[in-house]
């Protein structure tokens, strides 16, 4: 019990243990162990999420004019969209902070105790392709299904064709109305349909992605110029 041990050592060094009753001392030690385990679990969730950017929701530049309104960020910070299995769509030009916002939301979800994974669209498709070659594609898809939040960054950088369409449709179908999805894209939603070669699959995928999502349209100059 490392948390309890560290707390006891601190109490001994500061002579606090001499001033506490047995009951009060035990309560402090138990709470210290709980806090330590919670902290370790959150750290593990954040590490396993594999975020591209170590972003914090508290450090976002909240601005109505930039498309990052305080009320929506507050709503998302509560994690209610995760409980509802809702989708969050973040669109905007290069450098407007889409990836940072997606990672910040993911980080907050981890701190709320949810399992999260971050992928760019290309790396997501590559991971499934490699898993299929190894005969482990269904195992990987099952792993995705267990995530509370799946972040897909850079959606729409390349057309989606062949088996990729079917794989992407399955991911969306597995999560639809049950597990949350955060998608970021430079393209407006109106251009997403053209990314798919198969119109039927395009219809199914777009329908699942845009059904009652939380939408954020980031605007303004590139933040890369600013920072």
């Amino acid at each position: 019990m490392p948390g309890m041990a560290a707390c006891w050592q601190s109490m001994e060094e500061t002579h606090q243990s001499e001033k506490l009753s047995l009951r009060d001392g035990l309560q402090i030690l138990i709470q210290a162990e709980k806090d330590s385990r919670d902290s370790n679990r959150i750290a593990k969730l954040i590490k396993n999420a594999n975020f591209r950017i170590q972003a914090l929701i508290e450090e976002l530049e909240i601005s109505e004019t930039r498309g990052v309104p305080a009320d929506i960020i507050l709503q998302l910070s509560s994690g209610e969209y995760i409980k509802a299995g809702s989708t969050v769509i973040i669109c905007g030009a290069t450098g407007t902070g889409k990836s940072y916002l997606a990672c910040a939301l993911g980080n907050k979800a981890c701190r709320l105790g949810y399992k999260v994974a971050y992928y760019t669209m290309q790396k997501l498709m590559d991971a499934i392709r490699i898993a299929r070659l190894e005969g482990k594609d269904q195992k990987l898809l099952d792993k995705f299904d267990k995530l509370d939040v799946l972040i897909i960054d850079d959606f729409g950088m390349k057309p989606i064709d062949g088996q990729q369409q079917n794989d992407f449709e399955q991911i969306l179908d597995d999560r639809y109305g049950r597990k949350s999805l955060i998608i970021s894209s430079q393209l407006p939603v109106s251009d997403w349909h053209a990314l798919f070669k198969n119109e039927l699959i395009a219809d199914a995928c777009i329908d699942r992605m845009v059904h009652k999502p939380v939408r954020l349209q980031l605007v303004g100059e590139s933040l890369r110029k600013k920072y």
Side-chain angles (χ1 to χ4, degrees):
M1 296 184 179
M4 191 175 287
C7 182
W8 176 255
Q9 182 179 355
S10 176
M11 289 167 62
E12 283 281 275
E13 290 173 347
T14 58
H15 303 287
Q16 292 298 311
S17 58
E18 302 169 5
K19 303 174 184 177
L20 295 169
S21 67
L22 177 61
R23 179 176 180 178
D24 290 343
L26 281 174
Q27 287 179 337
I28 291 172
L29 291 173
I30 291 169
Q31 185 62 48
E33 181 62 28
K34 180 181 182 299
D35 292 344
S36 175
R37 292 187 182 189
D38 289 345
S39 179
N40 290 338
R41 180 170 182 269
I42 290 170
K44 185 176 180 181
L45 287 171
I46 291 173
K47 181 180 178 182
N48 290 343
N50 198 31
F51 297 119
R52 184 165 78 182
I53 304 169
Q54 294 306 314
L56 294 174
I57 202 86
E58 294 83 0
E59 296 179 358
L60 282 175
E61 185 178 327
I62 303 298
S63 169
E64 193 85 32
T65 56
R66 281 196 56 242
V68 188
D71 58 337
I72 293 182
I73 297 304
L74 184 63
Q75 173 196 343
L76 293 172
S77 296
S78 72
E80 287 302 315
Y81 76 99
I82 303 173
K83 296 177 184 177
S86 300
T87 296
V88 178
I89 296 176
I90 307 169
C91 292
T94 301
T96 50
K98 300 182 301 298
S99 296
Y100 189 96
L101 176 54
C103 289
L105 290 173
N107 176 282
K108 181 62 176 179
C110 288
R111 286 187 283 140
L112 290 172
Y114 293 108
K115 292 182 180 179
V116 183
Y118 169 94
Y119 287 88
T120 63
M121 181 64 176
Q122 185 60 51
K123 287 187 177 180
L124 180 68
M125 293 295 100
D126 286 347
I128 297 173
R129 178 179 57 81
I130 292 170
R132 177 167 288 107
L133 291 174
E134 297 174 347
K136 299 177 181 178
D137 50 318
Q138 191 55 53
K139 183 177 180 180
L140 181 60
L141 292 170
D142 290 343
K143 179 181 175 181
F144 292 154
D145 191 42
K146 293 176 182 177
L147 295 168
D148 298 302
V149 182
L150 175 62
I151 300 173
I152 303 177
D153 201 2
D154 292 337
F155 178 76
M157 298 294 282
K158 291 183 179 180
I160 308 168
D161 55 18
Q163 182 61 40
Q164 289 184 343
Q165 298 178 105
N166 301 96
D167 293 335
F168 191 61
E169 182 185 17
Q170 182 172 343
I171 290 172
L172 295 179
D173 193 53
D174 288 345
R175 304 191 70 78
Y176 183 63
R178 297 174 49 249
K179 300 292 184 70
S180 288
L181 186 66
I182 297 175
I183 303 174
S184 83
S185 178
Q186 292 185 31
L187 298 177
V189 174
S190 57
D191 290 350
W192 288 6
H193 195 281
L195 293 169
F196 298 85
K197 298 296 183 182
N198 185 305
E199 287 197 13
L200 291 177
I201 293 178
D203 289 342
C205 289
I206 300 301
D207 179 67
R208 284 162 176 73
M209 285 190 285
V210 304
H211 181 68
K212 296 182 179 179
V214 178
R215 296 199 190 196
L216 290 158
Q217 179 66 47
L218 306 191
V219 295
E221 285 192 5
S222 172
L223 295 179
R224 292 169 190 167
K225 297 178 182 177
K226 184 174 180 180
Y227 299 107

